[in-house]
Amino acid sequence: MTAPGALELLISLEQQIIDPATRHSPHVFASILADDFLEFTASGQVYQKESVISALTAENVGAWAEMSNDGFELRPLAEGVVLLTYCHLRRREGVADARSLRSSIWKLVGDRWQLVFHQGTPTCAE
C-alpha cells in the first residue's frame, strides 16, 4: 500500500529535478538520490549518483532548456517501493526539441523518498 499523498510528493521531487533553481544544487541531489542510484538516460548514457551530481554541477546554465513533465502515474511495486511514470518535454527557445517517456523507481527510506532508478526513453509521441 502506498502512503496517502505519495503521488503529490513524488511529483514535487521530480519537478525539483528539472527546476533551474535547484537543478544545479549538489545538496538537493545528494538528498533525493539513493546512494545506489542508477540511471539509463534517453541518450544512452549510464549514470550513478556521483556522476549525475558531477554532470549537473558542470552543466552549462547558459544552454538551459525549458523542461516540463506531465501524465504522472504511480504503481506500487512492493512495500515502500513505487514506480512513477510520466512524459517529459524539453523546449529550446520555445520549440519542442525532445520528448521522452520517463520511469522512476522511488524507495521510502526512513521518512523520506529516494530515487533509486531512472530511465528516459525517446519518443515522437505528442
Side-chain angles (χ1 to χ4, degrees):
M1 170 140 263
T2 305
L7 177 60
E8 293 77 17
L9 178 58
L10 295 174
I11 289 171
S12 172
L13 290 169
E14 290 281 357
Q15 299 298 72
Q16 283 185 42
I17 292 170
I18 64 170
D19 183 342
T22 57
R23 185 167 175 87
H24 301 101
S25 170
H27 300 295
V28 170
F29 282 90
S31 67
I32 292 175
L33 303 180
D35 289 341
D36 59 348
F37 172 77
L38 177 66
E39 177 177 14
F40 298 149
T41 69
S43 62
Q45 300 293 316
V46 177
Y47 288 106
Q48 287 82 35
K49 181 176 183 170
E50 293 307 318
S51 56
V52 166
I53 292 171
S54 294
L56 291 176
T57 301
E59 192 174 57
N60 181 353
V61 179
W64 183 254
E66 178 186 342
M67 294 185 242
S68 61
N69 298 326
D70 67 8
F72 291 93
E73 292 185 26
L74 188 67
R75 293 177 177 86
L77 298 177
E79 185 66 33
V81 180
V82 297
L83 171 66
L84 183 66
T85 58
Y86 57 95
C87 297
H88 177 80
L89 176 64
R90 185 183 72 199
R91 289 183 182 88
R92 291 191 192 275
E93 299 179 9
V95 178
D97 73 339
R99 291 182 176 83
S100 57
L101 299 176
R102 302 289 175 107
S103 58
S104 296
I105 297 177
W106 290 86
K107 181 178 179 181
L108 190 57
V109 178
D111 62 348
R112 66 184 173 139
W113 288 96
Q114 287 195 304
L115 185 55
V116 295
F117 177 79
H118 182 76
Q119 180 170 354
T121 303
T123 182
C124 301
E126 295 193 22

